[in-house]
Amino acid sequence: QVQVVESGGGLVQAGGSLRLSCAASGRTFSNYAMAWFRQAPGKEREFVAAIKWSNAFTSYADSVKGRFTISRDNAKNTLYLQMNSLKPEDTAVYHCAGDRVSRPSISTLFYEYDDWGQGTQVTVSS
């Protein structure tokens, strides 16, 4: 049974930092990508960042480049998202997701990811 569990969200002032974690279990992630998506109230789910588990290739949304860093710990099967210089527009529920298809490049499309966590709320106050 696949489990994906996010943690680390919270309330932070603009300019602050948070680190999200995603503990994954129940399947092999080594040949696939894992990603962070976010969804704000009334908005569509949005790609944030992704990493290829095997070679650590990464992809970022333009809106977070230079501020967010995605990483993984192979030994712990855990995905991270370090978020710096947070802005009020970063406020959303952040979801971790795992791809089950080995693709030549990292997908940024939410419907191509199969294993989703419940999400963790990030709120950035101005």
Side-chain angles (χ1 to χ4, degrees), residues 67-107:
R67 300 189 298 122
F68 291 10
T69 303
I70 190 171
S71 62
R72 87 275 188 259
D73 184 325
N74 288 349
K76 295 182 179 179
N77 242 24
T78 300
L79 182 72
Y80 301 100
L81 185 69
Q82 177 66 44
M83 305 186 296
N84 298 329
S85 303
L86 282 160
K87 305 175 181 180
E89 51 263 42
D90 294 319
T91 295
V93 176
Y94 283 70
H95 296 271
C96 173
D99 196 348
R100 290 197 181 194
V101 176
S102 183
R103 306 178 195 276
S105 59
I106 292 174
S107 172

Side-chain angles (χ1 to χ4, degrees), residues 38-46 89-93 121:
R38 65 188 181 186
Q39 189 163 18
K43 294 190 176 181
E44 293 191 352
R45 193 163 294 193
E46 174 189 26
E89 51 263 42
D90 294 319
T91 295
V93 176
Q121 176 71 47

Side-chain angles (χ1 to χ4, degrees), residues 13-25:
Q13 286 191 328
S17 298
L18 281 174
R19 188 174 87 150
L20 305 183
S21 299
C22 170
S25 61

